[in-house]
Amino acid sequence: MTESWWFSAMCRRTPNMRKIAIAAAEEKAVIGILAFEIASLMSKVVSLWHCLGHNQIILLKEEIKHSSGIRKLVSENDNYLMDLAIAEIIQNLTYVAKSVARLGKRCSDPIYHSLEGVFDDPFDVIDLNWLGWAYKLKKMERKVKKMERFMAVTAQLYQESEVLDHYEQDLIIRRRRRRKRNVNQVKLIEFQKRQRQEVNYLRELSPWIRTYDYTVRLLLRSLFTIVERIKQLIRSNQHKWKLLLNGSRSPSSFSTTTLGHAALAHLYANIVILIEKLAYSSSDESDRLIAFDDEEDREDLYNMLPATVRRSLRLRLKIKLFETTSGYLSLQQVRKKLEWLAPLAHETIKWQFERNIEKQRMAPCLNVFLVKTLYFADRMKTEAEIVELLIGLSYISRYGRKLNENASLNVEKAALILIE
């Protein structure tokens, strides 16, 4: 059984709060099993607040400014790039707001029954009923800490509940077999009893016994506070944001020529990462690429390529037939290009991984912004870079050091390694 001394100590220090929470639960409907969903919502709210912190915004701006990949494939306009990041934050806020609105319908106070649309336009004049609902900065920080404690307790509750379920299932099996009680079964019953006490104890500390009114109020006021923080960041451009948000709620609305708009960002990220693997697989003694000599590796890479990239590759190969060997990328040049392209690919995979984890358990989001991935990369520019890398790797793999020794080598045969 997992130790929970921290939760026990905290509970002993706040007996009155426990009594108040339990009394409130008796009068109004409580969260119950939805505590796990509530903790997930809280994690999103906490993450949104943290990513809007002053230091985090400065760090994001610096990362964007010094990313060669972003500036080559997305934009060199710093304001536009920050707009993409803010748009993603607003989109995540509206997703959380919709979940809070659904919970609001279960509240006792009718003020929470019609929350749909409250955050449809975060920069519009908010209904007078909601004026003053945003927390002051210091109070918001306290609420964030409270939500973090709820998240930690609920995660602990989830683990301990699984242990309890294991004990209960084991007892059910033993009883079905109609075995007489022995020492082991008595011990198992005792373990189950203690584990149930632990689970009940953690429920009292988690959102489990909190009312819908209490929970929705906490989340709603936090969202209003986040909106105020966003307004501070874009104070001079609120009119522009109103126009953008009225057109579409998705960050991809900024451009229809991106990999994200074509749903190709994840695929292209995997292609770039595989190219990176091949580019760094050469031995110390030669420029020859070891991994690319394997026919299966070449087929895997070629089969990953979309039709547009294959067509572009064939066209470039035909043009290359009339060029000298100096027109091909050296291994050093291939790796130099990957220095700025590969980070975008890795961030894309990381972004997708975090979203998958977020759906499965209580995990914060927005550790990676889409603007730092291939999502907003220009499709034609990205494909052109990939084609150049493929041709370079193909030629290097075939000839290695001989590239500079014999300029009259069969260029066509070398370049066609990928599609033999």
Side-chain angles (χ1 to χ4, degrees), residues 202-266:
L202 291 173
R203 284 179 178 178
E204 292 183 7
L205 296 175
S206 75
W208 190 286
I209 66 164
R210 269 60 187 181
T211 66
Y212 282 96
D213 293 64
Y214 169 86
T215 306
V216 170
R217 180 181 177 84
L218 173 61
L219 292 170
L220 188 61
R221 294 195 66 180
S222 297
L223 291 178
F224 280 123
T225 311
I226 291 172
V227 168
E228 291 303 313
R229 173 58 180 152
I230 295 174
K231 286 182 178 180
Q232 293 174 9
L233 292 175
I234 58 173
R235 186 178 293 114
S236 60
N237 293 313
Q238 289 191 26
H239 177 67
K240 176 190 70 174
W241 275 97
K242 284 173 66 68
L243 294 176
L244 287 172
L245 290 172
N246 286 336
S248 173
R249 308 231 38 101
S250 172
S252 61
S253 65
F254 283 83
S255 177
T256 59
T257 63
T258 63
L259 293 179
H261 187 269
L264 290 171
H266 191 264

Side-chain angles (χ1 to χ4, degrees), residues 147-181:
M147 287 187 281
E148 288 174 337
R149 289 195 295 270
F150 276 143
M151 291 157 53
V153 173
T154 308
Q156 182 76 5
L157 173 61
Y158 181 82
Q159 295 176 7
E160 299 297 345
S161 296
E162 286 193 324
V163 174
L164 176 61
D165 183 65
H166 173 74
Y167 285 151
E168 291 179 339
Q169 291 299 322
D170 198 357
L171 277 174
I172 290 174
I173 293 174
R174 288 173 180 269
R175 286 167 181 166
R176 283 177 179 174
R177 293 174 180 173
R178 297 181 179 178
R179 291 181 177 178
K180 293 182 178 180
R181 286 195 177 187

Side-chain angles (χ1 to χ4, degrees), residues 17-32:
M17 293 181 63
R18 286 183 58 205
K19 291 180 181 179
I20 293 173
I22 295 172
E26 294 175 351
E27 297 177 3
K28 299 179 181 179
V30 295
I31 295 298

Side-chain angles (χ1 to χ4, degrees), residues 104-319:
K105 295 185 180 301
R106 302 190 181 196
C107 293
S108 299
D109 192 333
I111 194 174
Y112 303 119
H113 292 174
S114 302
L115 297 177
E116 300 90 344
V118 172
F119 295 97
D120 279 354
D121 186 352
F123 312 113
D124 204 355
V125 178
I126 295 179
D127 190 298
L128 293 178
N129 289 328
W130 306 115
L131 288 179
W133 275 62
Y135 291 125
K136 299 296 184 182
L137 178 59
K138 289 185 178 180
K139 189 170 185 178
M140 181 60 181
E141 293 294 344
R142 292 198 299 272
K143 297 299 181 181
V144 166
K145 286 183 172 59
K146 174 176 286 189
M147 287 187 281
E148 288 174 337
R149 289 195 295 270
F150 276 143
M151 291 157 53
V153 173
T154 308
Q156 182 76 5
L157 173 61
Y158 181 82
Q159 295 176 7
E160 299 297 345
S161 296
E162 286 193 324
V163 174
L164 176 61
D165 183 65
H166 173 74
Y167 285 151
E168 291 179 339
Q169 291 299 322
D170 198 357
L171 277 174
I172 290 174
I173 293 174
R174 288 173 180 269
R175 286 167 181 166
R176 283 177 179 174
R177 293 174 180 173
R178 297 181 179 178
R179 291 181 177 178
K180 293 182 178 180
R181 286 195 177 187
N182 52 34
V183 175
N184 291 334
Q185 188 168 348
V186 171
K187 287 182 178 179
L188 183 60
I189 293 173
E190 183 62 26
F191 285 149
Q192 181 201 30
K193 180 180 178 181
R194 292 179 182 176
Q195 189 65 20
R196 182 172 294 282
Q197 290 175 343
E198 178 74 8
V199 169
N200 291 336
Y201 181 67
L202 291 173
R203 284 179 178 178
E204 292 183 7
L205 296 175
S206 75
W208 190 286
I209 66 164
R210 269 60 187 181
T211 66
Y212 282 96
D213 293 64
Y214 169 86
T215 306
V216 170
R217 180 181 177 84
L218 173 61
L219 292 170
L220 188 61
R221 294 195 66 180
S222 297
L223 291 178
F224 280 123
T225 311
I226 291 172
V227 168
E228 291 303 313
R229 173 58 180 152
I230 295 174
K231 286 182 178 180
Q232 293 174 9
L233 292 175
I234 58 173
R235 186 178 293 114
S236 60
N237 293 313
Q238 289 191 26
H239 177 67
K240 176 190 70 174
W241 275 97
K242 284 173 66 68
L243 294 176
L244 287 172
L245 290 172
N246 286 336
S248 173
R249 308 231 38 101
S250 172
S252 61
S253 65
F254 283 83
S255 177
T256 59
T257 63
T258 63
L259 293 179
H261 187 269
L264 290 171
H266 191 264
L267 173 62
Y268 279 42
N270 282 320
I271 291 173
V272 171
I273 291 173
L274 181 52
I275 291 175
E276 181 187 33
K277 173 187 173 183
L278 297 173
Y280 285 90
S281 65
S282 66
S283 63
D284 295 334
E285 297 81 13
S286 172
D287 286 339
R288 188 175 179 80
L289 301 178
I290 297 174
F292 213 47
D293 287 339
D294 191 325
E295 183 178 352
E296 185 176 345
D297 288 335
R298 298 198 303 269
E299 288 181 357
D300 288 344
L301 179 54
Y302 184 70
N303 290 334
M304 290 174 66
L305 304 179
T308 53
V309 175
R310 295 186 188 187
R311 287 194 297 268
S312 180
L313 179 58
R314 291 192 181 97
L315 178 61
R316 292 289 291 122
L317 290 175
K318 290 179 181 179
I319 296 175

Side-chain angles (χ1 to χ4, degrees), residues 393-404:
L393 285 184
S394 177
Y395 199 77
I396 296 166
S397 173
R398 184 71 172 184
Y399 291 103
R401 287 186 174 182
K402 293 182 179 180
L403 181 64
N404 295 324

